[in-house]
């Protein structure tokens, strides 16, 4: 296995990408390829305003300690300078969770079952 830890992969590209890298033997090339594919998949999805996003993460080395967030962002006709995107909210929630020792959370939008971050 390469020098990539599961935790650093989760912070970089989401749990699906980290799982793919871990399953592939963890090469640096696989981490780059999988991370880029996860980022392009998230960028390819256009979530409409009012989409509900949710994410859940478990505390490492525990079976029942988990943190769940869900949110919706909707700004009717707000100028670009005042818009707050769902990705900004997801990143802010991850920063808050990290201050309390939680691993990064991948948020998914519904009804489109695609990752946001």
């Amino acid at each position: 296995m390469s020098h990539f830890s599961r935790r650093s992969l989760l912070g970089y590209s989401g749990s699906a990408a980290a799982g793919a890298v871990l399953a592939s033997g963890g090469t640096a090339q696989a981490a780059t390829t999988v991370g880029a594919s996860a980022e392009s998949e998230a960028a390819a999805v256009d979530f409409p305003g009012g989409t509900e996003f949710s994410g859940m993460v478990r505390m490492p080395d525990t079976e029942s300690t988990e943190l769940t967030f869900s949110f919706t962002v909707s700004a009717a006709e707000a100028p670009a300078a005042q818009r707050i995107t769902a990705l900004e909210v997801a990143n802010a929630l991850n920063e808050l969770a990290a201050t309390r020792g939680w691993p990064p959370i991948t948020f998914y939008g519904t009804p489109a079952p695609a990752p946001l971050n």
Side-chain angles (χ1 to χ4, degrees):
M1 175 107 188
S2 157
H3 66 283
F4 290 102
S5 72
R6 182 174 187 273
R7 179 173 233 172
S8 68
L9 287 171
L10 286 171
Y12 174 71
S13 61
S15 59
V21 171
L22 292 172
S24 73
T27 65
Q29 177 63 35
T32 303
T33 303
V34 172
S37 118
E39 288 171 10
S40 64
E41 178 183 328
V45 176
D46 184 24
F47 294 104
T51 299
E52 183 176 345
F53 296 95
S54 62
M56 188 274 296
V57 67
R58 285 204 168 94
M59 186 62 78
D61 301 322
T62 68
E63 293 200 19
S64 61
T65 305
E66 61 185 44
L67 178 63
T68 304
F69 281 114
S70 63
F71 65 91
T72 302
V73 178
S74 184
E77 302 193 30
Q82 278 77 41
R83 286 188 198 128
I84 298 173
T85 67
L87 184 56
E88 290 172 317
V89 172
N91 290 338
L93 290 172
N94 267 320
E95 287 178 26
L96 174 62
T99 65
R100 303 295 199 278
W102 290 94
I105 302 165
T106 299
F107 289 90
Y108 292 89
T110 56
L116 169 65
N117 58 340

